[in-house]
């Protein structure tokens, strides 16, 4: 039971099984509306340095991957360039810039954004603490599917009722996330190795070993500066990438005019047909190289949260797309006259006087491209931790101005060692391209799959448009996927190995996380047990506020029983805090704390749900303890005022029940007075006096130190998963709950418990 009073700011319901809501809306401008053109242009310029590093540096290695053994027929380059042109047009430009960006989650993008949208519409998530009342949070509110559209309703019903479909959805999201992290490993390797490799054209004294070790040194330096944060060097990114795009556009136009302007006829897609007729299987295998022209396309969606949809559309259409097309057109014109230079086409096609400036700017652009994917990996890990899909690792926020910029030490060093190992193992950008292609295409196929669910169920797109998307864009991606899979034994296995390892970690952590929650739910304290505790004369009450932490939202967690059974002392005020992640990107601080009072009232017990979005900062500038105490104090004061208001209202009704109009006027005046005097009222009831004494006595935090083991009767698989895999992960991460929400060590006590999970 809980009380039914409803103060004006702090929300509560009258049931353990529901959470308070009705929160004020959060207004966003992520679509670009509400911003002036000056702001849009500024954001568009800044996005060049953050979003397009990987996509913009792809001309360094695409033709090397397409023609590793040279060009057999001069018209092959027509087919290859035609493939590249239409691939760039259909996937980065049409699919991502004009379709996928519309599927942002309150301005945030990425695989988790698509997953969160689907889960909110269809209740298809496995996060066990999600409830219907969560829809009252401002960013959560969505239009429900139109019942008249049968396919939307049928798909929604299927996702909600089928456990198999829920698992497939979760697995696809995790796999896509793992593949993006794999990109974070492969992008620095192939970008830096390709850029540094250009120095061989200027000096024959440098052999392959020296190129590799120079690349390793650049990678080590790149990862060593991550702890300073991208904010320190962010202002240099956009100018460097802007200069890079000018350079590649100019050299591309120069080569187009100088060598073979007739390459323009490759814009006719019939040359793709001729290419496949002429080279057959070899043309199909070469798709593994041409697909590298769209590496980094996923970043257009993943990084939209830092900018706006309109700014990314503007920068893509006005700068990035024209520059890249001109560069590929120029390289194609050059290769029509120099067929044997395909392996090093980019640097061979650079005019002599521009070689060294191009080399320097290429290395810088490659580093920036790597930085973008590394930062993206940190953000993905942060989201995974928030949603209970990854162990709690230390997350450092490197900028007070940009909350999305984070640094994770453990992940940074693991990425560095993985990049060094891959660079030393593969040594050649062409071989790395085989691995890179599978990671890139896999993420795109998963994104399209999730997008189709959104198009059917949420957008309710016309069926002809859905079929067109599947046939054109989906067909192109499946064709590329089949090609990169053909190179599985030549390096294509690498991203799959990375993904399997990461997927195993995420599945293990998420599975046990859910089992722990259901264990707490099954063993929560009943109302009868609470009454017994309230009547227990052996329990001594001392001044102070005791805060108990758990994942449980719907009741009092078993940690309280464990404490009472061993310590016959209770603080005068008890607060049960649940740290809860919602499947939305952000929750405003004003909407974060949700209190409700628990009966029997003589225990002075409160439940508090602290809600976060998956991109929210957990360790805020203002200490969590202070925020919690102040919000609790405000809640108690408002509860007293509401009760007093009700009492005055009843007395007024009894005294003057016949004059309704006068009564209404008096009520309005009284409510205005209550709001004016909220800060000045002295709490003189017994409950508020107890709370006042507890406030000055201070807070003590109780955190569960849980030992998790497989219960009796558990299968061999579950025993391995829980007793060994999960506990290994738990024992090797260094961040506990007190670090996540900044609980003072000197006021924290741990309560030991054993969870036997089935």
């Amino acid at each position: 039971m809980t009380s039914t009073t409803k103060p004006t700011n702090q929300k509560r319901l009258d049931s353990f099984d529901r959470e308070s809501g009705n929160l004020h809306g959060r207004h966003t401008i992520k679509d670009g509306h509400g911003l002036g053109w000056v702001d849009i242009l500024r954001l568009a310029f800044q996005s060049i340095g953050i979003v397009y590093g990987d996509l913009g540096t792809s001309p360094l290695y695409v033709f090397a991957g397409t023609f590793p053994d040279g060009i057999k027929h001069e018209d092959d380059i027509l087919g290859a360039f035609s493939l590249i042109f239409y691939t760039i047009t259909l996937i980065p430009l049409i699919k991502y810039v004009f379709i996928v960006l519309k599927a942002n989650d309150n301005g945030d993008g990425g695989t988790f954004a698509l997953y969160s949208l689907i889960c909110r519409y269809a209740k298809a998530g496995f996060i066990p603490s999600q409830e219907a009342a969560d829809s009252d949070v401002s960013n959560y509110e969505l239009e429900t599917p139109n019942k008249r559209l049968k396919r939307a309703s049928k798909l929604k019903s299927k996702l909600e009722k089928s456990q198999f479909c829920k698992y497939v959805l979760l697995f696809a999201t995790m796999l896509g996330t793992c593949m993006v992290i794999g990109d974070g490993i492969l992008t620095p390797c192939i970008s830096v190795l390709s850029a540094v490799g250009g120095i061989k054209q200027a000096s024959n004294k440098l052999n392959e070993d020296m190129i590799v070790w120079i690349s390793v040194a650049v990678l080590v330096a790149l990862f060593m500066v991550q702890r300073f944060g991208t904010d320190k060097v962010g202002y240099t990114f956009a100018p460097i990438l802007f200069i890079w795009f000018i350079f590649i556009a100019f050299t591309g136009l120069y080569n187009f005019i100088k060598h073979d302007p007739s390459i323009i006829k490759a814009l006719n897609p019939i040359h793709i047909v001729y290419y496949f007729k002429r080279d057959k299987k070899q043309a199909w295998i070469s798709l593994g190289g041409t697909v590298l022209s769209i590496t980094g396309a996923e970043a257009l969606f993943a990084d939209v949260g830092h900018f706006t949809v309109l700014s990314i559309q503007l920068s893509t259409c006005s700068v990035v797309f024209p520059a890249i097309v001109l560069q590929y057109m120029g390289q194609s014109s050059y290769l029509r006259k120099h067929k044997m230079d395909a392996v090093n086409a980019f640097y061979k096609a650079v005019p002599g006087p521009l070689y060294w400036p191009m080399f320097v700017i290429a290395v810088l652009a490659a580093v920036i491209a790597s930085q973008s994917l590394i930062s993206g990996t940190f953000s993905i890990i942060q989201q995974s931790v928030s949603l209970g899909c990854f162990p709690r690792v230390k997350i450092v926020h490197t900028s007070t101005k940009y909350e999305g910029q984070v640094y994770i030490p453990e992940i940074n060093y693991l990425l560095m060692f993985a990049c060094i190992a891959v660079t030393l193992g593969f040594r050649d950008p062409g071989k790395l391209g085989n691995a890179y292609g599978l990671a890139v295409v896999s993420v795109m196929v998963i994104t399209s799959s999730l997008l189709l669910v959104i198009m059917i169920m949420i957008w309710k797109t016309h069926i002809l448009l859905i079929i067109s998307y599947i046939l054109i864009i989906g067909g192109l991606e499946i064709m590329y996927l089949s090609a990169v899979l053909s190179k599985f034994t030549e390096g294509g296995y690498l991203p799959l190995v990375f993904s399997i390892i990461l997927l195993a970690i995420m599945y293990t952590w998420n599975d046990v996380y859910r089992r722990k929650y259901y264990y707490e739910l099954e063993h929560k304290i009943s109302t009868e047990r609470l009454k017994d505790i309230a009547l227990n004369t052996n329990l001594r009450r001392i001044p102070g506020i005791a805060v108990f932490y758990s994942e449980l939202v719907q009741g009092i967690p078993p940690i309280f029983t464990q404490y009472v059974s061993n310590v016959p002392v209770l603080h005068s005020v008890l607060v049960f805090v649940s740290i809860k992640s919602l499947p939305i990107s952000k929750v405003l601080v004003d909407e974060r704390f949700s209190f409700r009072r628990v009966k029997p009232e003589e225990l002075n017990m409160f439940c508090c749900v602290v809600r976060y979005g998956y991109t929210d900062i957990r360790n805020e500038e203002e200490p969590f303890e202070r925020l919690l105490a102040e919000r609790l104090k405000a809640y108690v004061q408002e509860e007293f005022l509401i009760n007093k208001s009700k009492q005055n209202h009843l007395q007024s009704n009894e005294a003057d029940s016949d004059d309704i109009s006068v009564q209404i006027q008096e009520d309005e005046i009284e409510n205005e007075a209550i709001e004016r005097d909220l800060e000045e009222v002295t709490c003189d009831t017994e409950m508020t006096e107890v709370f006042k004494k507890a406030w000055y006595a201070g807070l003590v935090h109780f955190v569960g130190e849980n030992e998790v083991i497989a219960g009796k009767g558990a299968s061999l698989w579950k025993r391995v998963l829980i007793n060994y895999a999960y506990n290994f992960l738990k024992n090797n991460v260094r961040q506990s709950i007190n670090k996540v929400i900044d609980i003072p060590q000197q006021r924290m006590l741990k309560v030991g418990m054993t969870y036997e999970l089935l």
Side-chain angles (χ1 to χ4, degrees):
M1 295 178 64
T2 59
S3 63
T4 58
T5 57
K6 294 185 179 180
T8 56
N9 292 329
Q10 305 295 336
K11 313 295 181 185
R12 88 286 312 278
L13 292 178
D14 50 4
S15 170
F16 274 153
D17 297 325
R18 296 188 63 197
E19 181 186 342
S20 60
N22 300 324
L23 302 173
H24 297 291
R26 172 177 178 256
H27 303 284
T28 63
I29 53 174
K30 292 299 184 180
D31 57 357
H33 298 300
L35 291 178
W37 275 106
V38 174
D39 295 322
I40 293 293
L41 290 173
R42 186 181 71 251
L43 287 172
F45 180 74
Q46 291 174 350
S47 70
I48 293 174
I50 301 297
V51 177
Y52 303 103
D54 196 10
L55 186 64
T57 55
S58 60
L60 286 167
Y61 45 77
V62 166
F63 280 114
T66 305
F67 301 110
D69 301 321
I71 301 171
K72 308 302 182 184
H73 191 283
E74 66 176 9
D75 285 344
D76 286 353
I77 194 64
L78 289 174
F81 173 61
S82 189
L83 266 172
I84 292 171
F85 174 78
Y86 284 103
T87 299
I88 295 173
T89 302
L90 287 172
I91 295 183
L93 187 63
I94 295 178
K95 174 187 171 180
Y96 280 96
V97 173
F98 292 109
I99 301 178
V100 177
L101 285 184
K102 299 296 184 181
N104 65 84
D105 180 18
N106 292 294
D108 289 287
T111 308
F112 272 116
L114 298 176
Y115 180 70
S116 68
L117 283 175
I118 295 171
C119 288
R120 298 212 300 278
Y121 269 96
K123 300 178 183 177
F126 275 109
I127 306 300
S129 60
Q130 304 310 318
E131 302 176 292
D134 292 333
S135 60
D136 292 327
V137 176
S138 55
N139 287 349
Y140 209 107
E141 294 178 356
L142 297 169
E143 176 193 359
T144 56
N146 191 330
K147 296 295 184 182
R148 292 173 296 179
L149 298 178
K150 293 183 178 180
R151 62 176 180 271
S153 298
K154 286 182 178 179
L155 181 57
K156 180 177 182 291
S157 177
K158 184 70 173 178
L159 286 174
E160 290 179 341
K161 295 178 180 179
S162 172
Q163 288 292 105
F164 175 76
C165 290
K166 290 182 180 181
Y167 274 112
V168 169
L169 187 63
L170 179 63
F171 175 80
T173 302
M174 287 185 174
L175 182 60
T177 300
C178 293
M179 285 293 184
V180 174
I181 296 174
D183 279 356
I185 297 173
L186 296 173
T187 295
C189 302
I190 192 170
S191 298
V192 173
L193 201 57
S194 299
V196 174
I199 202 172
K200 289 190 295 185
Q201 185 174 330
S203 175
N204 295 326
K205 296 180 180 180
L206 292 175
N207 56 32
E208 183 181 276
D209 288 340
M210 297 178 69
I211 296 296
V212 169
W213 284 108
I214 291 173
S215 300
V216 168
V218 173
L219 289 171
V220 171
L222 173 64
F223 283 100
M224 286 294 103
V225 300
Q226 290 301 310
R227 62 190 181 93
F228 298 110
T230 57
D231 189 37
K232 300 291 190 302
V233 293
Y235 288 108
T236 65
F237 283 9
I240 291 174
L241 261 296
F242 187 71
I243 294 171
W244 165 257
F245 283 118
I246 291 176
F247 269 44
I248 64 174
F250 172 78
T251 56
L253 184 61
Y254 169 83
N255 286 312
F256 167 71
I257 295 172
K258 178 181 179 181
H259 295 290
D260 188 4
S262 68
I263 195 70
I264 194 71
K265 63 185 179 182
L267 298 183
N268 186 343
I270 192 63
H271 289 283
I272 299 176
V273 178
Y274 295 155
Y275 179 46
F276 277 89
K277 280 186 176 181
R278 185 171 50 251
D279 291 354
K280 298 179 175 62
K281 182 179 179 181
Q282 194 60 40
W284 175 67
I285 293 175
S286 72
L287 291 174
T290 58
V291 75
L292 298 179
S293 63
I294 53 175
T295 58
E298 189 71 22
L300 298 176
F301 183 45
D303 292 332
V304 68
H306 299 288
F307 307 99
T308 66
V309 172
L310 185 57
S311 64
I312 290 181
Q313 290 174 337
L314 185 61
S315 57
T316 302
C317 296
S318 63
V319 177
V320 179
F321 180 76
I324 293 175
V325 169
L326 283 174
Q327 175 58 209
Y328 283 121
M329 185 180 293
Q331 285 191 47
S332 300
S333 297
Y334 175 84
L335 290 175
R336 289 270 285 177
K337 303 297 183 182
H338 306 83
K339 292 189 294 183
M340 301 310 296
D341 289 344
V343 175
N344 198 21
F346 179 82
Y347 283 109
K348 289 287 187 181
V350 174
L354 289 179
Y355 171 77
W356 283 110
M358 181 65 86
F359 173 77
V360 172
I361 201 72
V363 173
L364 292 175
V367 170
I368 293 172
S370 304
Q371 174 66 55
S372 301
L373 267 294
I374 294 169
S375 299
T377 299
F378 293 156
S379 298
I380 288 171
I381 296 295
Q382 178 196 19
Q383 294 175 13
S384 302
V385 170
S386 299
L387 293 176
C389 294
F390 202 84
R392 287 194 181 111
V393 290
K394 182 179 181 181
I395 299 176
V396 180
H397 297 272
T398 58
S399 173
T400 57
K401 184 177 181 181
Y402 304 105
E403 63 181 33
Q405 296 184 2
V406 296
Y407 166 68
I408 306 176
E410 293 94 338
I411 301 301
N412 182 64
Y413 292 116
L414 287 174
L415 287 176
M416 182 180 72
F417 291 131
C419 285
I420 292 173
V422 169
T423 302
L424 293 176
F426 281 79
R427 308 174 70 85
D428 178 33
K431 295 178 181 178
L432 271 173
N434 298 334
Y436 201 18
L438 181 58
V440 170
V441 180
S442 298
V443 174
M444 292 180 178
V445 171
I446 290 171
T447 297
S448 286
S449 301
L450 296 177
L451 183 64
L452 284 173
V453 176
I454 291 173
M455 292 171 72
I456 295 172
M457 187 177 67
I458 302 175
W459 293 350
K460 309 174 192 69
T461 306
H462 194 282
I463 188 64
L464 292 180
L465 294 177
I466 295 174
I467 293 174
S468 299
Y469 182 92
I470 294 173
L471 292 178
I472 299 173
I473 295 179
L476 181 62
E477 291 176 344
I478 294 298
M479 182 179 69
Y480 274 124
L481 183 62
S482 67
V484 296
L485 285 174
S486 70
K487 297 186 178 183
F488 185 81
T489 58
E490 302 173 26
Y493 61 86
L494 191 62
L496 190 60
V497 171
F498 289 147
S499 297
I500 289 174
I501 295 173
L502 290 168
L503 196 59
I505 293 173
M506 297 178 85
Y507 174 80
T508 299
W509 194 265
N510 181 261
D511 183 79
V512 179
Y513 167 80
R514 287 185 281 114
R515 293 177 190 274
K516 284 171 57 183
Y517 185 89
Y518 287 123
Y519 178 90
E520 289 190 345
L521 190 62
E522 292 172 1
H523 294 82
K524 67 180 181 180
I525 300 175
S526 65
T527 304
E528 291 73 19
R529 174 59 175 151
L530 282 178
K531 290 179 179 178
D532 292 340
I533 293 174
L535 298 174
N536 190 347
T537 57
N538 294 325
L539 288 176
R540 187 165 64 91
R541 305 300 293 268
I542 60 174
I545 301 174
V547 184
F548 293 84
Y549 293 88
S550 77
E551 302 284 351
L552 188 65
V553 173
Q554 303 100 331
I556 306 301
I559 183 179
F560 184 58
T561 301
Q562 183 76 358
Y563 173 78
V564 172
S565 300
N566 292 277
V567 182
V569 175
L570 282 179
H571 290 76
S572 55
V573 176
L574 306 175
V575 183
F576 296 91
V577 173
S578 171
I579 308 298
K580 177 177 180 178
S581 292
L582 298 182
I584 56 177
S585 56
K586 296 181 185 301
V587 177
L588 292 180
V589 176
D590 291 341
E591 301 178 337
R592 183 150 295 151
F593 292 85
S594 172
F595 289 93
R596 59 180 179 265
R597 185 171 172 82
V598 181
K599 290 186 178 181
E601 294 188 358
E602 52 266 30
L603 278 179
N604 292 324
M605 185 181 296
F606 302 87
C607 284
C608 173
V609 179
V610 186
R611 296 174 289 198
Y612 290 92
Y614 55 76
T615 62
D616 275 328
I617 300 174
R618 296 294 181 99
N619 196 343
E620 294 149 1
E621 291 184 14
E622 189 169 1
F624 175 85
E625 183 185 53
R626 182 187 302 169
L627 281 173
L628 175 66
E630 289 178 351
R631 297 302 171 89
L632 177 61
K633 181 180 179 181
Y635 176 87
V636 173
Q637 289 177 333
E638 291 181 31
E639 187 177 59
F640 165 73
L641 290 174
I642 294 298
N643 289 333
K644 183 177 179 180
S645 175
K646 286 184 176 181
Q647 183 180 4
N648 293 339
H649 180 75
L650 291 174
Q651 292 174 351
S652 179
N653 282 343
E654 292 175 358
D656 193 8
S657 58
D658 295 330
D659 194 342
I660 297 177
S661 61
V662 174
Q663 180 63 51
I664 293 175
Q665 185 178 10
E666 289 176 352
D667 285 347
E668 291 175 349
I669 296 173
E670 183 181 26
N671 289 335
E672 292 175 359
I674 289 173
E675 292 177 357
R676 286 197 308 270
D677 298 334
L678 181 61
E679 298 285 336
E680 302 173 3
V681 172
T682 303
C683 299
D684 55 0
T685 65
E686 181 180 353
M687 182 271 291
T688 53
E689 284 298 326
V690 170
F691 180 81
K692 187 175 181 180
K693 293 178 181 178
W695 174 270
Y696 289 111
L699 279 75
V700 179
H701 304 268
F702 292 91
V703 178
E705 185 71 10
N706 303 323
E707 179 186 2
V708 178
I709 61 174
K712 294 180 180 179
S715 63
L716 176 62
W717 161 248
K718 290 181 180 178
R719 291 200 299 270
V720 172
L721 181 75
I722 298 171
N723 294 347
Y724 298 99
Y726 174 80
N727 282 308
F728 173 80
L729 293 174
K730 179 185 175 184
N731 294 332
N732 286 277
V733 293
R734 63 180 182 177
Q735 189 161 53
S736 57
I737 185 67
N738 61 297
K739 293 293 184 181
V740 173
I741 55 176
D742 194 24
I743 299 175
Q745 292 277 357
Q746 66 272 22
R747 290 192 295 279
M748 184 186 71
L749 296 175
K750 294 185 177 181
V751 180
M753 283 195 67
T754 299
Y755 285 17
E756 295 187 10
L757 307 180
L758 295 175

